[in-house]
Amino acid sequence: NTASNDAKNLRVKLVLLGDSGVGKSCIVLRFVRGQFDPTSKVTIGASFLSQTIALLDSTTVKFEIWDTAGQERYAALAPLYYRGAAVAVIVYDITSQESFHKAQYWVKELQKHGGPDMIMALVGNKADLHERREVSAESGMDYAERNGMFFIETSAKTADNINQLFEEIGKLLP
Ligand code: GTP
Ligand code: MG
């Protein structure tokens, strides 16, 4: 951007959705605290964290993150968290075809009930477990492309692509 180097400070509501156990809370913990918890507990209801990053053009982005509970019993609460969200990150586990189907369910729900300008990202987590992979990167990429979503594979365990996920989202913000 050649016009100026004015700093822009953005504040963004982001919601994470996806099946229980895919690693939503671990992605957030890695992003916000740089840690991994192999004994991570299932989320009850939802939890809230925030983290600010700086992009290369000196824009800062404060992510206000709603980490929702993936267990079926909490599904009815999801609209409370995705309503008004600028960004939805839909997570599956690359070792679970079932979690990929669940991700597609969330995409459809957001296409029906999310805001029209919502930025959606599809994330295949647990990329470190490649020997147990059930969902190819191509399947994830194709699905994301057909639905106008950003796609990335991550590992909360190794930290692979976790910061990149949020930086790429930051670049997509208006
Ligand atoms: P709910 O809160 O029930 O919706 O689940 P969640 O999506 O928040 O899952 P959580 O982050 O609690 O992680 C579930 C399990 O997967 C934990 O045992 C984590 O340690 C493990 N896990 C999360 N991310 C990764 C990863 O990238 N690689 C590996 N190998 N394990 C992971
Ligand atoms: Mg959780």
Side-chain angles (χ1 to χ4, degrees):
N1 173 328
T2 53
S4 69
N5 29 25
D6 287 349
K8 255 203 304 183
N9 300 303
L10 304 175
R11 215 180 68 184
V12 178
K13 178 178 170 184
L14 179 150
V15 64
L16 282 122
L17 295 162
D19 216 351
S20 183
V22 298
K24 298 178 298 298
S25 298
C26 287
I27 289 170
V28 177
L29 186 70
R30 174 59 81 185
F31 175 54
V32 174
R33 301 213 212 291
Q35 296 166 355
F36 177 67
D37 178 5
T39 65
S40 178
K41 304 278 185 308
V42 301
T43 302
I44 308 297
S47 77
F48 178 82
L49 286 103
S50 75
Q51 172 72 315
T52 302
I53 62 168
L55 303 178
L56 284 177
D57 66 354
S58 84
T59 299
T60 70
V61 183
K62 182 181 185 192
F63 288 103
E64 300 179 337
I65 303 170
W66 285 100
D67 170 24
T68 66
Q71 287 185 330
E72 200 53 44
R73 73 184 77 158
Y74 301 112
L77 297 179
L80 298 176
Y81 302 106
Y82 68 66
R83 201 171 291 139
V87 181
V89 175
I90 298 171
V91 184
Y92 65 92
D93 168 353
I94 67 147
T95 74
S96 162
Q97 188 66 48
E98 196 188 332
S99 75
F100 186 50
H101 288 307
K102 192 64 196 249
Q104 297 175 23
Y105 160 86
W106 283 117
V107 172
K108 290 187 194 106
E109 163 122 359
L110 291 174
Q111 286 170 342
K112 268 188 264 169
H113 303 294
D117 299 326
M118 190 181 248
I119 292 168
M120 292 207 272
L122 182 67
V123 174
N125 188 44
K126 307 199 188 180
D128 57 290
L129 300 177
H130 41 81
E131 71 287 350
R132 286 172 41 201
R133 181 188 283 276
E134 286 185 4
V135 184
S136 70
E138 290 70 28
S139 310
M141 211 180 305
D142 287 352
Y143 183 81
E145 204 169 270
R146 279 185 276 117
N147 288 277
M149 304 172 77
F150 173 71
F151 175 73
I152 196 166
E153 287 192 349
T154 59
S155 169
K157 184 174 180 179
T158 66
D160 203 32
N161 276 348
I162 298 292
N163 287 338
Q164 285 83 344
L165 164 64
F166 290 91
E167 283 164 15
E168 292 302 324
I169 289 169
K171 291 185 203 163
L172 295 173
L173 295 170

